[in-house]
């Protein structure tokens, strides 16, 4: 039973979107987390980890109360998955398993997904133009997105005006599948930090994302490579936040020139928070309906901004500080890598809602904080503003 749970988990969660199309699979990640904990338990969670779980549960309950338990579950489902990730981290930290083997399995999946993305690109653009039905994911894609949504339209305005279909990948959405390659870059570094061929894999992961035009994932990959290859990362949390805010401010100011829609949506959603009554700025608006947020000026395109609007600036700061104190690793370099991954996973869509990405992110965080030997990386800081 233990071996079945261990080896099947990455594959089941990878195909969970397709499984959920045929049978109910809404709580499949949580089921696997429970089974994994019961079959590999080493210890119970510590007091600090219990506090993290309590904070996550409080957010769900508080936002539901503020929203008067709105039947519109869109916002709840997103935040529920983000809070579930905290539970996954606690499970991985308090269990004993072959970490290297599990990471190798996931890395192998990421590498094989390069081949599938190339095949899907060839199929949609050269073999059978725009025909999703011939793919193993075709039925799920065509019945998940209607023509009015625009997701299945070709991107002729991007590739030099030529008709072009972006691969959807095994996660049934270009942006979600694009982050599989971000996970691949991180795992390649963790497992093979000094191998020369790692640089080749970094470039293959980035090139595949470029082929798929997963724009947010591409930017994430570039940021990860700046940290991993060029060692461009900072040591102090305050500096990280300051640099991030400055970078986003400059990018937002140039948004009209760059024509990067995500940045404009992020800026508009942030300004829309202040359209709510002042007390909502601090304690949040809660999980009210999508119409309620739209009426106050939200485009509902940036998840992190929605999350701040849900819980308010006060609770957001408390939540982030709490998780940082509990789940920060010994290595500033790894902390930068995890922060970049978390920011970009949710800066546009809530990509942590994808079970496979949720599991991989939680596993990376858990492995980083379970190994004190990463402390040696403190001496590798290049940009030290302390």
């Amino acid at each position: 039973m233990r071996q079945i749970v261990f080896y099947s988990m990455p594959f089941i969660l990878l195909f969970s979107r397709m499984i959920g199309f045929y049978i109910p699979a809404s709580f499949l990640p949580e089921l696997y987390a429970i089974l994994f904990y019961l079959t590999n338990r080493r210890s119970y969670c510590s007091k600090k980890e219990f506090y993290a779980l309590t904070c996550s549960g409080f957010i769900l309950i508080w936002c539901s109360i503020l929203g008067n338990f709105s039947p519109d579950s869109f916002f709840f489902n997103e935040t529920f998955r983000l809070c579930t990730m905290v539970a996954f981290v606690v499970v991985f930290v308090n269990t004993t398993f072959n970490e290297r083997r599990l990471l190798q399995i996931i890395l192998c999946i990421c590498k094989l997904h390069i081949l599938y993305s190339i095949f899907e690109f060839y199929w949609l653009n050269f073999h059978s133009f725009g025909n999703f039905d011939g793919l193993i994911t075709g039925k799920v894609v065509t019945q998940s997105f209607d023509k009015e949504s625009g997701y299945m339209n070709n991107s002729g305005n991007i590739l030099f005006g030529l008709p072009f279909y972006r691969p959807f990948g095994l996660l049934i959405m270009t942006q979600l599948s694009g982050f599989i390659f971000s996970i691949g870059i991180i795992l390649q570094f963790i497992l093979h930090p000094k191998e020369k061929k790692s640089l080749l894999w970094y470039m293959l992961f980035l090139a595949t994302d470029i082929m798929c035009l997963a724009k947010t994932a591409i930017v994430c990959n570039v940021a990860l490579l700046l940290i991993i290859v060029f060692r461009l990362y900072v040591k102090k949390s305050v500096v990280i936040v300051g640099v991030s805010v400055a970078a986003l401010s400059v990018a937002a100011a140039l948004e009209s020139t760059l024509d990067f829609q995500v940045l404009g949506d992020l800026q508009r959603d942030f300004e829309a928070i202040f359209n709510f009554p002042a007390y909502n700025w601090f304690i949040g608006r809660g999980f009210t309906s999508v119409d309620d947020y739209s009426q106050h000026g939200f485009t509902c395109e940036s998840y992190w901004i929605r999350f701040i609007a849900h819980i308010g600036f006060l609770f957001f700061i408390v939540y982030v500080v709490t998780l940082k104190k509990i789940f920060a690793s010994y290595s500033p370099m790894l902390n930068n890598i995890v922060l970049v991954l978390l920011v970009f996973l949710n800066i546009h869509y809530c990509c942590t809602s994808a079970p496979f990405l949720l599991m991989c992110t939680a596993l990376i965080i858990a492995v980083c904080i379970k190994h004190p030997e990463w402390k040696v990386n403190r001496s590798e800081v290049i940009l030290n503003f302390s």
Side-chain angles (χ1 to χ4, degrees), residues 159-231:
L159 191 65
F160 309 109
L162 299 175
F164 167 71
Y165 282 92
R166 300 192 299 174
F168 275 60
L170 294 176
L171 298 187
I172 322 298
M173 192 172 186
T174 301
Q175 287 293 359
L176 294 178
S177 297
F179 279 107
I180 291 179
F181 306 119
S182 303
I183 298 294
I185 289 175
I186 296 173
L187 295 186
Q188 183 68 31
F189 167 69
I190 290 177
L191 291 171
H192 311 287
K194 296 183 179 180
E195 290 189 11
K196 292 183 179 180
K197 67 179 181 181
S198 289
L199 184 60
L200 173 61
W201 281 113
Y202 298 152
M203 294 300 103
L204 284 174
F205 285 130
L206 177 60
T208 309
D209 256 341
I210 293 174
M211 179 193 72
C212 298
L213 283 179
K215 292 181 286 187
T216 309
I218 291 171
V219 178
C220 178
N221 291 348
V222 171
L224 289 174
L225 292 179
L226 288 175
I227 296 172
I228 292 171
V229 178
F230 298 100
R231 297 297 195 265

Side-chain angles (χ1 to χ4, degrees), residues 360-377:
C360 292
T361 305
L363 180 61
I364 289 170
I365 295 172
V367 168
C368 289
I369 65 180
K370 285 176 72 174
H371 292 276
E373 60 267 26
W374 284 104
K375 194 172 183 178
V376 298
N377 286 339

Side-chain angles (χ1 to χ4, degrees), residues 293-322:
Y293 278 82
S294 299
Q295 289 170 7
H296 286 84
F298 278 81
T299 61
C300 295
E301 286 292 328
S302 173
Y303 172 70
W304 276 128
I305 303 301
R306 290 200 300 277
F307 185 64
I308 294 174
H310 293 332
I311 68 175
F313 286 102
L314 177 62
F315 290 138
F316 179 76
I317 293 172
V318 172
Y319 189 55
V320 170
V321 171
T322 300

Side-chain angles (χ1 to χ4, degrees), residues 342-355:
L342 285 174
V343 167
F344 283 100
L345 273 172
N346 299 289
I347 197 171
H348 190 194
Y349 303 108
C350 181
C351 293
T352 48
S353 62

Side-chain angles (χ1 to χ4, degrees), residues 216 219 240-255 258 260 262-264 266-267 270 302 304-305 308 343-344 347-348:
T216 309
V219 178
I240 294 174
V241 174
V243 171
S244 301
V245 171
L248 288 174
S249 299
V250 172
L254 297 175
E255 185 265 334
L258 297 174
F260 193 30
V262 174
L263 295 174
L266 190 151
Q267 180 182 12
F270 184 78
S302 173
W304 276 128
I305 303 301
I308 294 174
V343 167
F344 283 100
I347 197 171
H348 190 194

Side-chain angles (χ1 to χ4, degrees), residues 120-134:
E120 189 176 359
F121 179 86
Y122 167 76
W123 180 275
L124 292 175
N125 294 287
F126 297 100
H127 183 275
S128 184
F129 188 73
N131 180 19
F132 288 86
D133 293 331

Side-chain angles (χ1 to χ4, degrees), residues 62 76 97 108-109 137 164 196 267 282 311 328 334 351 359 361 370 380 385:
W62 177 251
F76 178 84
F97 58 97
C108 183
I109 290 174
T137 58
F164 167 71
K196 292 183 179 180
Q267 180 182 12
F282 300 99
I311 68 175
L334 289 174
C351 293
M359 176 205 66
T361 305
K370 285 176 72 174
E380 295 182 8
F385 297 98

